[in-house]
Amino acid sequence: MPASSSGNTVFLDALRSVVGRRHVLTKPNATYRFRKGYRFGLGDVLAVLQPGNLVELWKAAKLCAESGKIIIMQAANTGLTGGSTPDGNDYDREIVIISTNRLDGIHLIGEGRQVVCLPGSTLHDLEEKLAKIGREPHSVIGSSCIGASVLGGVSNNSGGALVQRGPAFTEMALFGQMGADGKLHLVNHLGIRLAGDPEQILSAVQAGQLPDSAIDWNAGRGHDAGYAQHVRDVDAETPARFNADPNRWHEAAGCAGKLVVFAVRLDTFKANKNPAVFYIGTNSTQDLEDLRRHILTSFDELPIAGEYIHRDAFNIAEVYGKDTTAIIRYMGTRFLPTFFGLKSRFDIAVQRIPGISGHLSDLLLQAFSKIIPKQLPARMCDFRDRFEHHLMLKVSAELAAPVKAYLEDWHSKTSGDFFACTPEEGKLAFLHRFAAAGAAIRYRAVHSKTAEDIVALDVALRRNDREWFETLPKEIEDKLIVKLYYGHFFCHVMHQDYVVKKGYNAMAVEHSMLPGLEARGARYPAEHNVGHLYDAPEEMIEHYRSLDPCNCFNPGIGKATKRRNWVAESV
């Protein structure tokens, strides 16, 4: 609804007094980049707020609650299913988006064994801060490159490429919860004794006033420590990880924006020194599955990562992701969030110019990529020509020799092959796999005359599924231009992007694919959460109801009702 709606003048002035006039955005052009999802989602809002500290966030959220507004908490807005933006304009109350991108802050505790992260802290910043003390966060290169937030990952149980660590999870958080009375209550389950009223507590956390004497080291889990054993059960009938798994919901973890999360406490991990990377190719899905099962069950230590990419995805990423690979290779990951931010602002600006393509930035970048030198090593390209299926296997220095010995034996018994990467080859192999994640978007932009849209699925396959590579019915296949398969192979989590031919409805094509996945015992989404694209199972809806009994936060996710107090849409 527009900001000029009657009765809102006093409310907006109150918000301005809390967060500052320049940080209350109401004009459609100013709010667009917040209310438009990265891939999906768009709707009107009354205002977008950008609080500058935790006390401002608390006060602003309380004002919204008292005024009966819908609150959508938003971190980096890098989600793929529209879970942090409005979905249309059929809500029964006005919407306020609270953006946390000014609320960065990371506090190390226990000599860096754990961290307390504020709402705007990014995975990239956490990765850099921990690298200085020889430690790592839950996730490394991937979504961290485009500015994804730590709290966004925890709120959605996001996955990641690292085999040993499982989805983002914690039992320790400081959050605001809306009661059935419509009032916001501060809940301190951070496991750190903090005295005073809510504003004093939040000020202390903001400033990092977290003395060791106040910390309870047995307060709860800071990651899913049982995942390493869980993923080894290769004969289990269920997937290793997926968003609708209730075993990984706990207050802030899996809340999907149904709480105002002020801080989370997470474990960190000792960084691996001098890891080894092996590049593996085969034309047999069974040979690759045998390799997966052996490595998961036969070594005392799990690999660090095992990333799969199909030849078609390799080829598309080589052409349409070359600039992404080059930017990270030569400028590092620090520049990438800024780059994507500038690209977003450029896209918004040119949309207002009649006759200019909405994909202009992608078209310019693709033209630029044609003059960039070839990025991929010759041995990788040779394997592309020889093999349909590719696996990048990263292991610790200690595991390198026994894994190499196994791969030599595997090679002697199969038609597959492998090589041990140099450090530069290993870096480029994983960068190329990362670039594949955005290649479909670029392909669609460049081929807008023949490509209608993208279907992007992230699918958790059963741990015992030997027929892991998808075969689509002809009636679906005929509606597609290209299929891109890549994913976290040892966790059996596959990302499947499809470019739909012009004239076909992408949503209808996606829905036609889902029964086949269900018949295979797969679960979806695996790590991007339901957002506004997927029907949440009833157990998940009940979880959201328990966190937010008035349906004041982010209503409608999981295709649930958008109405106050969870009143059915038909009533």
Side-chain angles (χ1 to χ4, degrees):
M1 295 181 181
S4 59
S5 297
S6 61
N8 283 324
T9 302
V10 173
F11 170 66
L12 292 172
D13 284 344
L15 291 177
R16 293 182 182 109
S17 71
V18 170
V19 304
R21 180 169 294 275
R22 63 181 295 216
H23 298 301
V24 179
L25 311 178
T26 58
K27 294 181 179 179
N29 287 344
T31 62
Y32 181 81
R33 66 189 179 95
F34 298 93
R35 55 191 178 86
K36 173 72 169 65
Y38 182 68
R39 275 191 183 175
F40 173 84
L42 177 66
D44 294 336
V45 299
L46 175 64
V48 173
L49 312 182
Q50 296 177 292
N53 57 56
L54 297 183
V55 172
E56 288 184 5
L57 172 57
W58 168 254
K59 289 181 175 179
K62 284 188 68 180
L63 281 171
C64 292
E66 291 162 2
S67 298
K69 309 301 184 187
I70 287 171
I71 299 173
I72 296 180
M73 297 299 302
Q74 185 181 99
N77 195 15
T78 58
L80 303 183
T81 58
S84 59
T85 54
D87 174 41
N89 296 314
D90 57 342
Y91 294 84
D92 63 343
R93 291 151 288 166
E94 292 168 314
I95 298 171
V96 174
I97 292 176
I98 302 182
S99 168
T100 63
N101 56 15
R102 296 178 63 217
L103 300 173
D104 59 333
I106 298 167
H107 306 305
L108 305 186
I109 60 175
E111 299 180 332
R113 296 191 310 276
Q114 290 187 334
V115 290
V116 174
C117 295
L118 305 192
S121 57
T122 67
L123 285 168
H124 180 273
D125 289 341
L126 180 57
E127 192 175 335
E128 280 205 334
K129 189 160 190 170
L130 290 175
K132 297 174 182 177
I133 59 171
R135 298 189 72 81
E136 291 179 341
H138 168 269
S139 299
V140 294
I141 189 168
S143 55
S144 54
C145 293
I146 56 174
S149 72
V150 176
L151 266 68
V154 172
S155 296
N156 292 294
N157 290 137
S158 297
L162 302 182
V163 179
Q164 303 166 14
R165 300 178 192 173
F169 175 81
T170 185
E171 294 176 338
M172 298 172 286
L174 176 67
F175 56 91
Q177 184 170 25
M178 200 83 80
D181 56 2
K183 295 181 179 179
L184 195 65
H185 306 272
L186 187 67
V187 180
N188 179 15
H189 288 170
L190 207 54
I192 302 174
R193 292 187 300 278
L194 299 165
D197 61 25
E199 292 184 21
Q200 291 172 312
I201 290 171
L202 293 167
S203 294
V205 174
Q206 180 85 43
Q209 297 170 357
L210 311 169
D212 284 350
S213 60
I215 298 173
D216 178 2
W217 293 106
N218 298 305
R221 295 180 294 164
H223 81 287
D224 182 5
Y227 184 78
Q229 190 60 38
H230 178 74
V231 76
R232 285 183 183 271
D233 187 358
V234 296
D235 292 316
E237 291 278 350
T238 56
R241 55 181 169 93
F242 54 98
N243 291 127
D245 184 353
N247 295 313
R248 297 189 181 93
W249 299 335
H250 186 87
E251 298 174 340
C255 72
K258 287 294 188 177
L259 302 169
V260 184
V261 183
F262 296 98
V264 294
R265 178 176 159 191
L266 300 164
D267 293 336
T268 69
F269 306 85
K270 186 176 180 181
N272 285 281
K273 294 183 178 180
N274 304 314
V277 175
F278 298 98
Y279 198 94
I280 301 160
T282 180
N283 290 313
S284 167
T285 59
Q286 287 302 311
D287 287 346
L288 206 57
E289 178 61 19
D290 289 343
L291 180 152
R292 168 184 170 270
R293 295 172 71 89
H294 181 88
I295 288 178
L296 284 177
T297 59
S298 300
F299 294 98
D300 292 336
E301 179 186 336
L302 285 173
I304 298 168
E307 292 294 288
Y308 168 81
I309 186 169
H310 184 265
R311 177 192 278 154
D312 291 345
F314 184 114
N315 290 335
I316 294 292
E318 184 181 20
V319 176
Y320 299 96
K322 185 167 70 168
D323 55 316
T324 301
T325 300
I327 288 170
I328 301 174
R329 181 182 185 184
Y330 297 118
M331 304 186 72
T333 57
R334 171 163 287 281
F335 175 70
L336 213 56
T338 300
F339 168 77
F340 276 101
L342 292 172
K343 180 179 181 296
S344 175
R345 285 173 171 81
F346 178 83
D347 288 340
I348 292 167
V350 300
Q351 283 178 359
R352 299 197 295 266
I353 304 174
I356 298 295
S357 169
H359 303 299
L360 182 59
S361 65
D362 281 300
L363 296 175
L364 291 173
L365 287 168
Q366 191 58 33
F368 169 69
S369 72
K370 292 180 180 179
I371 65 174
I372 297 174
K374 187 179 181 68
Q375 296 297 305
L376 300 182
R379 290 202 289 182
M380 280 178 59
C381 294
D382 174 62
F383 266 46
R384 179 265 312 280
D385 296 337
R386 294 171 57 193
F387 301 114
E388 182 180 0
H389 306 285
H390 299 235
L391 180 68
M392 290 137 272
L393 177 61
K394 181 184 288 188
V395 300
S396 69
E398 295 75 17
L399 194 58
V403 165
K404 184 178 181 182
Y406 164 70
L407 290 174
E408 288 171 345
D409 181 65
W410 177 84
H411 167 54
S412 70
K413 296 176 180 177
T414 71
S415 59
D417 201 355
F418 79 97
F419 63 86
C421 295
T422 65
E424 182 67 8
E425 285 174 326
K427 174 185 175 182
L428 287 171
F430 277 90
L431 284 182
H432 183 59
R433 155 62 187 88
F434 168 70
I441 297 174
R442 177 68 60 78
Y443 183 98
R444 177 191 61 180
V446 173
H447 299 277
S448 58
K449 292 183 179 180
T450 57
E452 181 71 31
D453 208 342
I454 297 169
V455 170
L457 294 174
D458 61 303
V459 180
L461 304 175
R462 301 189 324 269
R463 282 169 283 172
N464 68 347
D465 193 348
R466 288 183 172 273
E467 303 297 329
W468 55 270
F469 192 71
E470 181 178 67
T471 301
L472 290 171
K474 187 177 184 303
E475 60 268 22
I476 297 178
E477 190 88 40
D478 289 345
K479 298 173 183 176
L480 307 175
I481 299 173
V482 68
K483 301 173 295 183
L484 307 184
Y485 295 105
Y486 52 94
H488 316 307
F489 189 62
F490 286 91
C491 299
H492 255 196
V493 168
M494 300 298 293
H495 296 281
Q496 302 176 178
D497 294 345
Y498 313 86
V499 181
V500 179
K501 291 178 181 178
K502 201 74 172 179
Y504 290 103
N505 182 287
M507 191 69 71
V509 171
E510 177 177 344
H511 287 168
S512 69
M513 294 175 173
L514 301 183
L517 293 174
E518 292 163 4
R520 296 170 62 191
R523 299 296 297 268
Y524 56 86
E527 55 187 15
H528 293 155
N529 218 343
V530 290
H532 290 287
L533 279 183
Y534 299 100
D535 290 295
E538 186 57 35
E539 191 172 22
M540 198 175 213
I541 297 295
E542 287 303 313
H543 169 62
Y544 294 153
R545 289 172 67 106
S546 70
L547 296 177
D548 177 22
C550 70
N551 204 20
C552 297
F553 288 102
N554 207 7
I557 55 169
K559 298 193 176 180
T561 177
K562 296 177 179 178
R563 297 178 66 178
R564 188 194 300 269
N565 297 327
W566 299 90
V567 173
E569 300 284 349
S570 59
V571 174

